[in-house]
Amino acid sequence: MSRVSVKSLRKAFGPAEVLVGIDLEVDDAEILAVLGPSGCGKTTLLRIIAGFLDPDAGLVALDGATVADGHSSVPAWRRRVGYVPQEGALFPHLDVRGNILFGLPRRERTYERLAEMLRLAELPQRVASAYPRELSGGQQQRVALARALAPEPRVVLLDEPFSSLDAALRLSAGREVSSVLRSAGTTAVLVTHDQGEALSLADRVAVMDDGLIRQVDTPLQLYGAPVDQRIGRFVGDANLLTAKLEGDVARCALGPVALRAQPPSADGALVTLLVRPEQLRVTAAPECGQARVEEVVFYGPHALVRLALDDGTGLQARVKPADVPAVGDRVTVEVTGISGVFA
Amino acid sequence: MLVPLGYVVWYTWSLGPVATWELLARPRVGELVRNTAALLVGVVALSTGLGVTCAWLVERTDLPLRRVWHVLFVAPLAIPAFVNSYAWVSITHAVQGYAGAVLIVSLSYSPLVYLPAVAAMRTLDPALEEVAHSLGDDRWTVFRRVVLRGIRPAVLGGALLVGLHLLAEFGALQMLRFPTLTTGIYDQYRSAFNSPAANVLASVLVLSCLLLLLGELWVRGDAALWRVGAGSARSVDRVKLGAMRAVALAGVAGLVTLSLGVPVSSLVHWLRVGSSTAFPVDELIAATATTAGLGIGAAALTAAMALPVVWLAVRHRGGLSNVIERATFTAHALPGIVVALALISVSVRSVRPLYQTLPLLLVAYAILFLPRAVVSVRSSLEHAQPVLEDVARSLGSRPAAVLARVTIPLIRNGLGAGAALVFLAVSTELTATLLMAPIGTATLATEFWSNSSSLAYGAAAPYALLMVLVSLPATWLLSRQTRGGVLT
């Protein structure tokens, strides 16, 4: 299908600068998630790409053709950009058939096209005559996706599409939507504030904060090697440990930790290590432990254990059900890997 | 929209303070103002009392046959106040004067308080009352501290409507021989066309309406009191009336007899008497056709005017669009007689060919009833999410196609209800029609008026009946609309 490129995009509402120079490239047939806390400007970015808003400066190009440059802009109805808003926003006065075929020219609103779109969205044929209020939340979401895909857009934009669904449904709806997008081979931009959603559904994730893109990477890279502490904490639970650089190891309260890459500072400097809870190994040691178990939250497949080191540092560790300690136990803590070293 | 208001202000201004004062400082003006104020206090108090009591009985007690009573309490809306007055006056002249005017007009207007009060009680979360009970309040204290406070904005809104309707009321008060500012303006206008006295009275009337609007805003304070929640499906724990049940039943039965029984039986009586003498089928059909034609024309014009106003107010919130929307609501403060007077004077001075023409009459209707259309279109447009329009544009629809395929279908009901309300208001409109209709144009209301004011009660009855029949659907629509808490 198509590529999206955004260069030095700026947008202000009155005195409030929402976007302060966004650069973003989305490749053909890629699903890119824009992840950021609410109010970071990600919906504004999406609305500018869709053509509902005009940027103050910068450039938006679809397939190399400029559609907005701060002076002129191609109107939304000529951009061929599909849009799936929160809660689907199906037309309540039209049935599923009317919704899905809405964007097609009259002569293309055929039964075959409808059946094809229903099949693509993994919806049963009988829902064609149902009205939006008769559908479940997940079904509405898939109809909205089918409606956006029917006119064969160059890119589909999804704005927090799962935020209104309950937790259980959100997981399955997310997987279904991403599989529909992949089988349609569509380029897609998904905006979300949910880390799990972004990491599990997208090919790449762009972390956005304060009107800027901070990092664009694959989910694995983003989680395992964030470019700064803030992003590291934002994309997942994190322990921050102060350490001293000594050659190819960093010495912290839990002992020496091997560095994987070139450290950011010279030998002897103090750095901060970012350690994910699952990178800590907790072992019961009634006699010689260095930490005390403060709290245990059991989730089933794993448990989160809150620990207090003897020097007062608080830590979080993720352990297997078989290894869950009791509150008050003495334990030793070992670092099995790190997700970042920051000066 | 602002022509009538502007005209009144301009006229008074151009007259100068001395001349204005001389016109105002006459004993007759003092009497009219005193009458209007006394009537205002009496009618607002009585109709609010009746409306709230009935609402409480229907929504919060175990009164038998509550659904039937609900319909009967709303039904007086279908009988225009001047028809109700005619029904009473044709039975006994004892109702002419202050007490009679207060009673009859309050009977006609109490649904304007009853409907919003019922709607507010319905949306009031019963959990609030339960919490108050659990905190040790007895039933009466709960009613006072929770229910009354909760429905206060709605009741105030209803009382405001009663006040504004009363200030604009012409037919009923003329019939009940109780002179107020409005009937005074009419008499002045009839005796001396375009007289300064009529215009000065009109500015006093507009000022009273504006004071009423401001007073309501001030008393209401912050409107957040009345939260319309998701509408709790839970039924409330109703007050057991016990021994008071018989008293309550007798009370509501008496009320319905006065508000419905008397006018209906009087109408039936005159219909029988009248049909034995003359039943002018041709004239009835002609008047009905004229009324329907005017109503359709005004409804179409008003709905078409409401759409851009609402569009701006809802989709492009901002200084200018607020001003435009508020300006349409100044019509609330403009009784039919003022609008008619201003449009007549302006057309006579500046656009002579329009004087006493159909288009000018339609414009007057549109000014008078635009707020009704705006309210019902607005609530439906507010429910139509803007994101639906975004989606349609992203699917390749141009703005005109978005309007035709998404926006209009979404607000179809509101637009239809608004147009219907205007149609029905026009078909019982008397004051502006009397003053502005082209010579020879006879509507149901004007025919009824000319017959009943020449004491031809029997001949007036068929027109009254047709007006009541035409008003029935409006009543139904209004009783549905109060769910939104707004009634105009």
Side-chain angles (χ1 to χ4, degrees), chain B residues 243-269:
Chain B
M244 291 300 286
R245 182 185 266 217
V247 180
L249 270 179
V252 294
L255 179 66
V256 168
T257 307
L258 291 179
S259 64
L260 285 177
V262 172
V264 168
S265 57
S266 166
L267 207 56
V268 168
H269 166 74

PDB file of all heavy atoms in Angstrom, chain B residues 243-269:
ATOM      1  N   ALA B 243     -54.130   7.580  54.911  1.00  0.00           N
ATOM      2  CA  ALA B 243     -55.435   8.243  55.047  1.00  0.00           C
ATOM      3  C   ALA B 243     -55.532   9.468  54.153  1.00  0.00           C
ATOM      4  O   ALA B 243     -56.621   9.890  53.762  1.00  0.00           O
ATOM      5  CB  ALA B 243     -55.657   8.645  56.509  1.00  0.00           C
ATOM      6  N   MET B 244     -54.366  10.039  53.811  1.00  0.00           N
ATOM      7  CA  MET B 244     -54.373  11.234  52.983  1.00  0.00           C
ATOM      8  C   MET B 244     -54.715  10.913  51.530  1.00  0.00           C
ATOM      9  O   MET B 244     -54.904  11.813  50.709  1.00  0.00           O
ATOM     10  CB  MET B 244     -52.997  11.911  53.024  1.00  0.00           C
ATOM     11  CG  MET B 244     -52.655  12.521  54.362  1.00  0.00           C
ATOM     12  SD  MET B 244     -53.868  13.776  54.813  1.00  0.00           S
ATOM     13  CE  MET B 244     -53.383  15.095  53.707  1.00  0.00           C
ATOM     14  N   ARG B 245     -54.755   9.626  51.212  1.00  0.00           N
ATOM     15  CA  ARG B 245     -54.966   9.213  49.838  1.00  0.00           C
ATOM     16  C   ARG B 245     -56.282   9.768  49.283  1.00  0.00           C
ATOM     17  O   ARG B 245     -56.326  10.303  48.176  1.00  0.00           O
ATOM     18  CB  ARG B 245     -54.976   7.685  49.796  1.00  0.00           C
ATOM     19  CG  ARG B 245     -55.132   7.097  48.455  1.00  0.00           C
ATOM     20  CD  ARG B 245     -55.246   5.596  48.602  1.00  0.00           C
ATOM     21  NE  ARG B 245     -53.934   4.981  48.448  1.00  0.00           N
ATOM     22  CZ  ARG B 245     -53.778   3.803  47.833  1.00  0.00           C
ATOM     23  NH1 ARG B 245     -54.804   3.135  47.396  1.00  0.00           N
ATOM     24  NH2 ARG B 245     -52.580   3.302  47.692  1.00  0.00           N
ATOM     25  N   ALA B 246     -57.355   9.660  50.100  1.00  0.00           N
ATOM     26  CA  ALA B 246     -58.653  10.142  49.650  1.00  0.00           C
ATOM     27  C   ALA B 246     -58.597  11.647  49.406  1.00  0.00           C
ATOM     28  O   ALA B 246     -59.129  12.157  48.410  1.00  0.00           O
ATOM     29  CB  ALA B 246     -59.731   9.820  50.695  1.00  0.00           C
ATOM     30  N   VAL B 247     -57.935  12.365  50.323  1.00  0.00           N
ATOM     31  CA  VAL B 247     -57.823  13.820  50.174  1.00  0.00           C
ATOM     32  C   VAL B 247     -57.080  14.151  48.885  1.00  0.00           C
ATOM     33  O   VAL B 247     -57.497  15.007  48.089  1.00  0.00           O
ATOM     34  CB  VAL B 247     -57.091  14.420  51.387  1.00  0.00           C
ATOM     35  CG1 VAL B 247     -56.964  15.928  51.236  1.00  0.00           C
ATOM     36  CG2 VAL B 247     -57.793  14.048  52.669  1.00  0.00           C
ATOM     37  N   ALA B 248     -55.972  13.451  48.662  1.00  0.00           N
ATOM     38  CA  ALA B 248     -55.164  13.708  47.472  1.00  0.00           C
ATOM     39  C   ALA B 248     -55.975  13.430  46.205  1.00  0.00           C
ATOM     40  O   ALA B 248     -55.958  14.214  45.248  1.00  0.00           O
ATOM     41  CB  ALA B 248     -53.904  12.848  47.495  1.00  0.00           C
ATOM     42  N   LEU B 249     -56.696  12.294  46.221  1.00  0.00           N
ATOM     43  CA  LEU B 249     -57.508  11.943  45.052  1.00  0.00           C
ATOM     44  C   LEU B 249     -58.556  13.012  44.773  1.00  0.00           C
ATOM     45  O   LEU B 249     -58.733  13.442  43.633  1.00  0.00           O
ATOM     46  CB  LEU B 249     -58.187  10.588  45.265  1.00  0.00           C
ATOM     47  CG  LEU B 249     -57.399   9.376  44.799  1.00  0.00           C
ATOM     48  CD1 LEU B 249     -58.181   8.102  45.103  1.00  0.00           C
ATOM     49  CD2 LEU B 249     -57.107   9.465  43.297  1.00  0.00           C
ATOM     50  N   ALA B 250     -59.233  13.449  45.868  1.00  0.00           N
ATOM     51  CA  ALA B 250     -60.259  14.481  45.694  1.00  0.00           C
ATOM     52  C   ALA B 250     -59.625  15.745  45.145  1.00  0.00           C
ATOM     53  O   ALA B 250     -60.166  16.407  44.244  1.00  0.00           O
ATOM     54  CB  ALA B 250     -60.944  14.767  47.027  1.00  0.00           C
ATOM     55  N   GLY B 251     -58.436  16.075  45.649  1.00  0.00           N
ATOM     56  CA  GLY B 251     -57.739  17.278  45.200  1.00  0.00           C
ATOM     57  C   GLY B 251     -57.418  17.235  43.718  1.00  0.00           C
ATOM     58  O   GLY B 251     -57.741  18.166  42.969  1.00  0.00           O
ATOM     59  N   VAL B 252     -56.786  16.147  43.273  1.00  0.00           N
ATOM     60  CA  VAL B 252     -56.401  16.095  41.862  1.00  0.00           C
ATOM     61  C   VAL B 252     -57.639  16.004  40.974  1.00  0.00           C
ATOM     62  O   VAL B 252     -57.663  16.580  39.884  1.00  0.00           O
ATOM     63  CB  VAL B 252     -55.409  14.952  41.562  1.00  0.00           C
ATOM     64  CG1 VAL B 252     -54.087  15.205  42.252  1.00  0.00           C
ATOM     65  CG2 VAL B 252     -55.962  13.600  41.937  1.00  0.00           C
ATOM     66  N   ALA B 253     -58.679  15.308  41.465  1.00  0.00           N
ATOM     67  CA  ALA B 253     -59.896  15.225  40.659  1.00  0.00           C
ATOM     68  C   ALA B 253     -60.506  16.612  40.489  1.00  0.00           C
ATOM     69  O   ALA B 253     -60.921  17.001  39.396  1.00  0.00           O
ATOM     70  CB  ALA B 253     -60.901  14.276  41.309  1.00  0.00           C
ATOM     71  N   GLY B 254     -60.521  17.377  41.596  1.00  0.00           N
ATOM     72  CA  GLY B 254     -61.047  18.735  41.529  1.00  0.00           C
ATOM     73  C   GLY B 254     -60.236  19.580  40.560  1.00  0.00           C
ATOM     74  O   GLY B 254     -60.782  20.320  39.725  1.00  0.00           O
ATOM     75  N   LEU B 255     -58.925  19.452  40.640  1.00  0.00           N
ATOM     76  CA  LEU B 255     -58.050  20.237  39.770  1.00  0.00           C
ATOM     77  C   LEU B 255     -58.328  19.923  38.301  1.00  0.00           C
ATOM     78  O   LEU B 255     -58.458  20.819  37.460  1.00  0.00           O
ATOM     79  CB  LEU B 255     -56.587  19.940  40.114  1.00  0.00           C
ATOM     80  CG  LEU B 255     -55.562  20.668  39.267  1.00  0.00           C
ATOM     81  CD1 LEU B 255     -55.641  22.161  39.520  1.00  0.00           C
ATOM     82  CD2 LEU B 255     -54.164  20.156  39.531  1.00  0.00           C
ATOM     83  N   VAL B 256     -58.417  18.595  37.994  1.00  0.00           N
ATOM     84  CA  VAL B 256     -58.635  18.206  36.603  1.00  0.00           C
ATOM     85  C   VAL B 256     -60.011  18.667  36.131  1.00  0.00           C
ATOM     86  O   VAL B 256     -60.177  19.074  34.978  1.00  0.00           O
ATOM     87  CB  VAL B 256     -58.446  16.687  36.442  1.00  0.00           C
ATOM     88  CG1 VAL B 256     -58.938  16.217  35.084  1.00  0.00           C
ATOM     89  CG2 VAL B 256     -56.989  16.321  36.632  1.00  0.00           C
ATOM     90  N   THR B 257     -60.986  18.657  37.042  1.00  0.00           N
ATOM     91  CA  THR B 257     -62.305  19.160  36.666  1.00  0.00           C
ATOM     92  C   THR B 257     -62.208  20.619  36.238  1.00  0.00           C
ATOM     93  O   THR B 257     -62.767  21.032  35.220  1.00  0.00           O
ATOM     94  CB  THR B 257     -63.275  19.044  37.854  1.00  0.00           C
ATOM     95  OG1 THR B 257     -63.244  17.707  38.323  1.00  0.00           O
ATOM     96  CG2 THR B 257     -64.684  19.442  37.460  1.00  0.00           C
ATOM     97  N   LEU B 258     -61.447  21.407  37.035  1.00  0.00           N
ATOM     98  CA  LEU B 258     -61.326  22.822  36.707  1.00  0.00           C
ATOM     99  C   LEU B 258     -60.517  23.039  35.428  1.00  0.00           C
ATOM    100  O   LEU B 258     -60.881  23.851  34.579  1.00  0.00           O
ATOM    101  CB  LEU B 258     -60.652  23.578  37.861  1.00  0.00           C
ATOM    102  CG  LEU B 258     -61.458  23.712  39.154  1.00  0.00           C
ATOM    103  CD1 LEU B 258     -60.656  24.448  40.186  1.00  0.00           C
ATOM    104  CD2 LEU B 258     -62.778  24.430  38.876  1.00  0.00           C
ATOM    105  N   SER B 259     -59.408  22.305  35.284  1.00  0.00           N
ATOM    106  CA  SER B 259     -58.510  22.608  34.177  1.00  0.00           C
ATOM    107  C   SER B 259     -58.962  21.963  32.873  1.00  0.00           C
ATOM    108  O   SER B 259     -58.656  22.482  31.806  1.00  0.00           O
ATOM    109  CB  SER B 259     -57.085  22.176  34.518  1.00  0.00           C
ATOM    110  OG  SER B 259     -57.043  20.778  34.672  1.00  0.00           O
ATOM    111  N   LEU B 260     -59.651  20.822  32.950  1.00  0.00           N
ATOM    112  CA  LEU B 260     -60.071  20.139  31.732  1.00  0.00           C
ATOM    113  C   LEU B 260     -61.589  20.024  31.618  1.00  0.00           C
ATOM    114  O   LEU B 260     -62.153  20.284  30.559  1.00  0.00           O
ATOM    115  CB  LEU B 260     -59.475  18.726  31.679  1.00  0.00           C
ATOM    116  CG  LEU B 260     -58.011  18.599  31.332  1.00  0.00           C
ATOM    117  CD1 LEU B 260     -57.607  17.145  31.411  1.00  0.00           C
ATOM    118  CD2 LEU B 260     -57.741  19.145  29.940  1.00  0.00           C
ATOM    119  N   GLY B 261     -62.213  19.637  32.741  1.00  0.00           N
ATOM    120  CA  GLY B 261     -63.647  19.366  32.705  1.00  0.00           C
ATOM    121  C   GLY B 261     -64.440  20.578  32.257  1.00  0.00           C
ATOM    122  O   GLY B 261     -65.278  20.491  31.341  1.00  0.00           O
ATOM    123  N   VAL B 262     -64.173  21.728  32.869  1.00  0.00           N
ATOM    124  CA  VAL B 262     -64.929  22.931  32.538  1.00  0.00           C
ATOM    125  C   VAL B 262     -64.740  23.330  31.070  1.00  0.00           C
ATOM    126  O   VAL B 262     -65.721  23.463  30.337  1.00  0.00           O
ATOM    127  CB  VAL B 262     -64.568  24.088  33.498  1.00  0.00           C
ATOM    128  CG1 VAL B 262     -65.199  25.383  33.027  1.00  0.00           C
ATOM    129  CG2 VAL B 262     -65.015  23.749  34.905  1.00  0.00           C
ATOM    130  N   PRO B 263     -63.491  23.513  30.609  1.00  0.00           N
ATOM    131  CA  PRO B 263     -63.361  23.933  29.211  1.00  0.00           C
ATOM    132  C   PRO B 263     -63.944  22.919  28.227  1.00  0.00           C
ATOM    133  O   PRO B 263     -64.624  23.316  27.268  1.00  0.00           O
ATOM    134  CB  PRO B 263     -61.847  24.087  29.015  1.00  0.00           C
ATOM    135  CG  PRO B 263     -61.197  23.536  30.208  1.00  0.00           C
ATOM    136  CD  PRO B 263     -62.195  23.529  31.305  1.00  0.00           C
ATOM    137  N   VAL B 264     -63.701  21.611  28.481  1.00  0.00           N
ATOM    138  CA  VAL B 264     -64.188  20.622  27.518  1.00  0.00           C
ATOM    139  C   VAL B 264     -65.714  20.611  27.491  1.00  0.00           C
ATOM    140  O   VAL B 264     -66.325  20.657  26.410  1.00  0.00           O
ATOM    141  CB  VAL B 264     -63.629  19.214  27.839  1.00  0.00           C
ATOM    142  CG1 VAL B 264     -64.356  18.152  27.036  1.00  0.00           C
ATOM    143  CG2 VAL B 264     -62.134  19.175  27.553  1.00  0.00           C
ATOM    144  N   SER B 265     -66.342  20.619  28.682  1.00  0.00           N
ATOM    145  CA  SER B 265     -67.807  20.542  28.664  1.00  0.00           C
ATOM    146  C   SER B 265     -68.407  21.828  28.105  1.00  0.00           C
ATOM    147  O   SER B 265     -69.404  21.802  27.382  1.00  0.00           O
ATOM    148  CB  SER B 265     -68.342  20.239  30.066  1.00  0.00           C
ATOM    149  OG  SER B 265     -67.890  21.214  30.963  1.00  0.00           O
ATOM    150  N   SER B 266     -67.764  22.959  28.396  1.00  0.00           N
ATOM    151  CA  SER B 266     -68.252  24.215  27.841  1.00  0.00           C
ATOM    152  C   SER B 266     -68.151  24.198  26.320  1.00  0.00           C
ATOM    153  O   SER B 266     -69.081  24.603  25.603  1.00  0.00           O
ATOM    154  CB  SER B 266     -67.444  25.372  28.418  1.00  0.00           C
ATOM    155  OG  SER B 266     -67.655  26.536  27.682  1.00  0.00           O
ATOM    156  N   LEU B 267     -67.034  23.679  25.837  1.00  0.00           N
ATOM    157  CA  LEU B 267     -66.827  23.598  24.386  1.00  0.00           C
ATOM    158  C   LEU B 267     -67.889  22.708  23.749  1.00  0.00           C
ATOM    159  O   LEU B 267     -68.501  23.058  22.729  1.00  0.00           O
ATOM    160  CB  LEU B 267     -65.430  23.024  24.132  1.00  0.00           C
ATOM    161  CG  LEU B 267     -64.732  23.407  22.835  1.00  0.00           C
ATOM    162  CD1 LEU B 267     -64.636  24.911  22.723  1.00  0.00           C
ATOM    163  CD2 LEU B 267     -63.363  22.772  22.782  1.00  0.00           C
ATOM    164  N   VAL B 268     -68.121  21.546  24.386  1.00  0.00           N
ATOM    165  CA  VAL B 268     -69.113  20.613  23.854  1.00  0.00           C
ATOM    166  C   VAL B 268     -70.496  21.257  23.846  1.00  0.00           C
ATOM    167  O   VAL B 268     -71.252  21.168  22.870  1.00  0.00           O
ATOM    168  CB  VAL B 268     -69.116  19.305  24.684  1.00  0.00           C
ATOM    169  CG1 VAL B 268     -70.328  18.442  24.329  1.00  0.00           C
ATOM    170  CG2 VAL B 268     -67.828  18.528  24.457  1.00  0.00           C
ATOM    171  N   HIS B 269     -70.801  21.959  24.948  1.00  0.00           N
ATOM    172  CA  HIS B 269     -72.098  22.631  25.040  1.00  0.00           C
ATOM    173  C   HIS B 269     -72.283  23.619  23.893  1.00  0.00           C
ATOM    174  O   HIS B 269     -73.282  23.594  23.166  1.00  0.00           O
ATOM    175  CB  HIS B 269     -72.198  23.362  26.394  1.00  0.00           C
ATOM    176  CG  HIS B 269     -73.321  24.348  26.454  1.00  0.00           C
ATOM    177  ND1 HIS B 269     -74.637  23.958  26.568  1.00  0.00           N
ATOM    178  CD2 HIS B 269     -73.324  25.710  26.390  1.00  0.00           C
ATOM    179  CE1 HIS B 269     -75.403  25.045  26.576  1.00  0.00           C
ATOM    180  NE2 HIS B 269     -74.629  26.114  26.468  1.00  0.00           N
TER     181      HIS B 269
END
